[in-house]
Amino acid sequence: MGLDFYTGKLADAVNWARKFSLFSYPFVTACCGMEYMSVAAPKYDIARFGAEFPRFSPRQADLLIIVGTITERQGPALRRIYDQMCEPKWVIAFGVCASTGGFYQNYSTMPGCDQVIPVDVYIPGCPPRPEQVLDALILLQERIQRGEGHSQVQLKVESGHYDVPTTAIRPRTAHLPGGESGGKAPEGAG
């Protein structure tokens, strides 16, 4: 019991330090960038939450903030940036275009950045207000403290220290008509 107690308290202390020292990498592609920039202004002051210094190198960042529309051609570059980030890493999808593709429903727009990388927190809106960004940052900090970020859970599963089945981490789509492949709907549907 003694060793588990100390390692549990150490993990809590490490997660507390992580949540107040987020180094963000802003991946800004569209008009939401103006609202994102206002979050760092004195009125909203993202520095209160320990996330004020953007890093423009993925190797120095642990928080990827995707701001704006992601096209199909940008998908591989976004994945490469995500893969280059240090572990554990977190992702925020800023705005409706980053979350769902927005009002661009065409062949070149990706229907959400979660098609390429896992997302921890989604911020709705077109564009989202700075208050929503701060709320999302607080929500992410709470998840980091509990150790529930996507990469934190994935690291625990890979090391064998997580007792939840992997299917609980990555939601299955078998309940959808056609399963994961998006094939034909079952007989009698629609």
Side-chain angles (χ1 to χ4, degrees):
M1 170 161 165
L3 184 60
D4 291 335
F5 175 75
Y6 288 121
T7 57
K9 293 296 179 187
L10 179 63
D12 289 343
V14 169
N15 286 339
W16 178 85
R18 283 179 179 154
K19 83 176 191 178
F20 287 118
S21 63
L22 295 170
F23 294 103
S24 63
Y25 181 93
F27 191 81
V28 182
T29 62
C31 50
C32 285
M34 302 306 155
E35 289 293 322
Y36 173 72
M37 286 187 270
S38 69
V39 175
K43 183 175 182 180
Y44 299 103
D45 194 20
I46 200 169
R48 294 178 291 163
F49 303 98
E52 73 269 22
F53 293 119
R55 303 291 184 210
F56 296 104
S57 169
R59 289 179 177 87
Q60 297 175 351
D62 57 5
L63 171 62
L64 178 60
I65 302 177
I66 302 167
V67 182
T69 311
I70 304 298
T71 62
E72 294 290 341
R73 289 186 69 181
Q74 290 171 329
L78 180 61
R79 182 64 197 199
R80 188 175 324 117
I81 288 170
Y82 178 79
D83 289 340
Q84 290 175 355
M85 292 173 63
C86 56
E87 294 285 347
K89 50 192 164 190
W90 302 279
V91 178
I92 294 178
F94 184 102
V96 71
C97 290
S99 300
T100 65
F103 53 84
Y104 303 107
Q105 300 297 321
N106 60 28
Y107 67 94
S108 65
T109 303
M110 187 173 292
C113 60
D114 55 358
Q115 303 287 316
V116 181
I117 59 175
V119 176
D120 291 295
V121 179
Y122 295 91
I123 305 174
C126 183
R129 297 281 308 142
E131 294 90 352
Q132 290 175 279
V133 178
L134 297 179
D135 287 342
L137 190 59
I138 292 169
L139 178 66
L140 181 64
Q141 286 178 331
E142 290 170 358
R143 291 186 74 182
I144 292 170
Q145 179 66 48
R146 292 190 308 261
E148 295 176 354
H150 274 97
S151 65
Q152 288 172 305
V153 171
Q154 193 64 36
L155 288 173
K156 289 177 187 176
V157 167
E158 289 172 0
S159 67
H161 297 297
Y162 203 69
D163 57 354
V164 176
T166 309
T167 55
I169 299 167
R170 297 180 186 257
R172 296 179 1 194
T173 56
H175 65 281
L176 297 174
E180 293 183 0
S181 62
K184 287 181 20 181
E187 292 293 326

